[in-house]
């Protein structure tokens, strides 16, 4: 993305001056998801309780108390289901079980009980677009003949060309290479092709088939019965494909390609998908406690994305337009305005997110001068390296500004420690299918998935227990960078100036001041070309994205992004402050 403001978001000056977080209920708890803070755990890298080099459910249970200190409402768990892990568990072989790598269903129940005790909801990741090629349904489909009921669970098709040796259409996989793989018949002859928008080990389900819909309703109920607070729905815009599977000139990633706006892609954003989510919302409504659906849908522009959160569909959708904003005040004001306008129009909360397991962490993105790589394109050893200090200062400032926005917040594990990406990861350690399928041309997402540092002075920075009685240090599934001791949770915990302390303080204030349920109005008075300034209740937020210090109004500082952020009534560059603003 370029450093100049994209035209996409419209002019903030033409937007309304005040945006309200839509609140319909008398009680905050009743519609908790309108102002929630949800923390994403990537189980493989969170905490390893048994010393096998991979994080696990007991590791999460053991540390949930520390997450509660962040004043979060819910934890979203990335997939922990049985999987061959060709795509980090987003290749699910059984939707109703736990991979032995992560533990057992009993471990899941223990985690649920602990979360319940702490008042934290658990949201699980539902991957309905595709499963793993190891899934029993796909194995049955491969074994069954062309035209069978088993094959109709997936998207099988004869090839094109005289002998069917060409794929049925020209779609490309999100991870690189073509989106079709040819099967081999039992007698060894070449067979039909199957569609996979992602890796060849991730066959797409055929959502036109009622049996697929019934199977996922069973899966929803399985987890709802176990008490989960809801589902983050993976690739929620792709389930239905356009009839006839027409050729398409763009990448299968929802991004627009030359001459092809993303909104016209035949594999994304088809209107029929909404009936599925209306049905799911009805199922969730049968359960108590306000269970929620959150869409991962790469749809632009924002007013189209809001179709996913109309009142009878999902509760939330990730705001990727916001996630991708560059370090530029105009662009940030634009995307905040257009987000609030678009989501307000359908009475849904806006969500805000800066990092997740698919993108370069915002500490590293904001430390790059030439703009950030697109999702799936990591930073490698031979690339320009981010400036660590600038990246961290900006990340802390951006997060602090985000915490004052009305709506829902998503956090990604490790951002509360100010972790950067592992940008010096050796190529032979990389696991992302994007790396493999593009022959290393796109590095993939491993850099943001590195095992977390817990203890400054322990092997693997305390990520894992040391194996058996030999006390051998296990090999972590992805290597950690050198020199991460300063990021470890234990050293940050006791340091009032640490990123962890900033997150704790600011998220506590967000809750106490009810900013999530508040409203935003732009403060034109304190805005400059390079600063973003807004009011939420009595809190005035100023974020300096320029190169020079900017004057501040008088007012008590509530919290600042770094200790030296405010000096002589000015706000330093790459800093953010909340001030108690006297009205009038
Ligand atoms: C989503 C996930 C990503 C995964 C992809 C395919 O975008 O966030 O990690 O690779 O779906 O399931």
């Amino acid at each position: 993305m370029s450093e100049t403001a994209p035209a996409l978001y419209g002019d903030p000056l033409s937007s309304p001056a005040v945006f309200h977080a839509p609140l319909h209920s008398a009680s905050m708890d009743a519609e908790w998801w309108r102002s929630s803070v949800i923390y994403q755990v990537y189980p493989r890298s969170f905490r390893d309780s048994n010393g096998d080099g991979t994080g696990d459910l007991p590791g999460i249970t053991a540390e949930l108390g520390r997450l509660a200190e962040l004043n979060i409402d819910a934890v979203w768990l990335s997939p922990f289901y049985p999987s061959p892990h060709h795509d980090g568990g987003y290749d699910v072989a059984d939707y109703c079980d736990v991979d032995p790598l992560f533990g057992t269903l009993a471990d899941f129940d223990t985690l649920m009980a602990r979360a319940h005790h702490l008042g934290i909801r658990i949201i699980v990741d539902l991957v309905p677009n595709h499963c793993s090629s190891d899934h029993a349904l796909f194995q049955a489909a491969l074994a069954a003949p062309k035209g069978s009921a088993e094959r109709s669970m997936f998207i099988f098709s004869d090839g094109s060309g005289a002998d069917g040796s060409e794929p049925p259409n020209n779609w490309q996989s999100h991870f690189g290479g073509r989106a079709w793989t040819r099967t081999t018949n039992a007698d060894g002859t070449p067979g039909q092709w199957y569609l996979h928008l992602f890796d060849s080990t991730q066959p797409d389900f055929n959502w036109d088939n009622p049996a697929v819909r019934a199977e996922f309703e069973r899966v929803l109920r399985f987890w709802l019965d176990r008490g989960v607070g809801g589902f983050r729905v993976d690739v929620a815009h792709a389930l239905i494909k356009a009839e006839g599977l027409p050729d398409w000139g763009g990448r299968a990633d929802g991004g627009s390609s030359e001459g092809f706006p993303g909104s016209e892609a035949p594999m994304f954003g088809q209107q029929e998908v909404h009936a599925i989510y209306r049905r799911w919302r009805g199922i969730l409504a049968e359960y108590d406690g306000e269970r929620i659906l959150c869409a991962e849908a790469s749809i632009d522009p924002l007013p189209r994305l809001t179709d996913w959160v109309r009142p009878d569909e999902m509760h939330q959708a990730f705001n990727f337009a916001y996630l991708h904003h560059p370090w530029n005040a105009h662009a940030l004001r634009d995307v905040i305005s257009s987000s609030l306008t678009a989501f307000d129009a359908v009475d849904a909360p806006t969500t805000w997110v800066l990092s997740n397991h698919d993108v370069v962490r915002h500490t590293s993105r904001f430390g790059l001068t030439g703009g950030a790589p697109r999702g799936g394109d990591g930073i490698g050893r031979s690339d320009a390296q981010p400036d660590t200090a600038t990246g961290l200062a900006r990340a802390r400032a951006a997060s602090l500004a985000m915490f004052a926005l009305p709506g829902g917040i998503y956090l990604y594990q490790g951002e509360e420690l100010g972790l950067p990406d592992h940008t010096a990861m050796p190529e032979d350690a990389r696991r992302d299918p994007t790396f493999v399928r593009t022959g290393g041309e796109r590095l993939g997402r491993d850099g943001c998935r590195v095992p977390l540092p817990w203890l400054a002075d322990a092997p693997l920075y305390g990520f894992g227990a040391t194996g058996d009685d030999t006390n051998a240090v296990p090999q972590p599934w992805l290597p950690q960078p050198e020199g991460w001791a300063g990021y470890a949770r234990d050293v940050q915990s006791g340091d009032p100036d640490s990123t962890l302390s900033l997150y704790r303080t600011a998220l506590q204030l967000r809750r106490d001041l009810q900013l999530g349920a508040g409203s935003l109005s732009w403060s034109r008075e304190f805005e400059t070309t390079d600063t973003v300034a807004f009011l939420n209740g009595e809190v005035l937020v100023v974020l300096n994205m320029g190169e020079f210090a900017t004057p501040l109004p008088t007012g008590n500082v509530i919290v600042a992004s770094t200790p030296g952020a405010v000096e002589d009534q000015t706000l330093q560059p790459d800093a953010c402050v909340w001030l108690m603003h006297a009205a009038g």
Side-chain angles (χ1 to χ4, degrees), residues 67-204:
L67 299 188
E69 289 172 9
L70 289 171
N71 289 294
I72 57 170
D73 299 286
V75 164
W76 148 36
L77 299 173
S78 277
F80 50 80
Y81 317 110
S83 166
H85 288 280
H86 294 300
D87 180 24
Y90 284 89
D91 44 332
V92 180
D94 180 350
Y95 288 87
C96 297
D97 206 348
V98 173
D99 194 301
L101 204 56
F102 300 126
T104 61
L105 272 175
D107 290 328
F108 179 83
D109 292 339
T110 307
L111 191 162
M112 283 290 308
R114 174 79 181 131
H116 185 79
H117 177 74
L118 292 166
I120 294 174
R121 293 169 167 90
I122 297 291
I123 309 254
V124 295
D125 213 313
L126 188 73
V127 189
N129 180 67
H130 48 262
C131 59
S132 159
S133 50
D134 286 4
H135 195 291
L137 286 172
F138 189 70
Q139 286 300 313
L142 284 180
K146 178 175 161 177
S148 59
E150 288 86 348
R151 287 216 168 175
S152 73
M153 296 294 280
F154 298 90
I155 304 179
F156 279 86
S157 180
D158 291 335
S160 61
D163 55 358
S165 63
E166 291 299 314
N169 69 20
N170 70 352
W171 294 3
Q172 296 295 300
S173 148
H174 183 85
F175 294 147
R178 58 190 175 198
W180 294 90
T181 292
R182 195 167 194 184
T183 61
T184 305
N185 295 321
D187 63 4
T189 55
Q192 286 192 297
W193 298 71
Y194 66 89
L195 178 71
H196 51 85
L197 294 185
F198 293 88
D199 190 51
S200 55
T201 62
Q202 293 168 291
D204 279 44

Side-chain angles (χ1 to χ4, degrees), residues 40 42 76 78-79 86-92 125-130 174-175 197-199 202 232-237 296-298 318 320 356-359 432-434 445 449:
Q40 179 188 1
Y42 193 73
W76 148 36
S78 277
H86 294 300
D87 180 24
Y90 284 89
D91 44 332
V92 180
D125 213 313
L126 188 73
V127 189
N129 180 67
H130 48 262
H174 183 85
F175 294 147
L197 294 185
F198 293 88
D199 190 51
Q202 293 168 291
R232 174 263 187 192
V233 182
D234 191 65
V235 207
H237 54 314
E296 187 223 18
S298 301
F318 290 116
F320 292 126
N356 66 31
H357 67 295
D358 288 330
V359 298
D432 190 330
T434 308
R445 303 156 293 177
R449 298 175 175 181

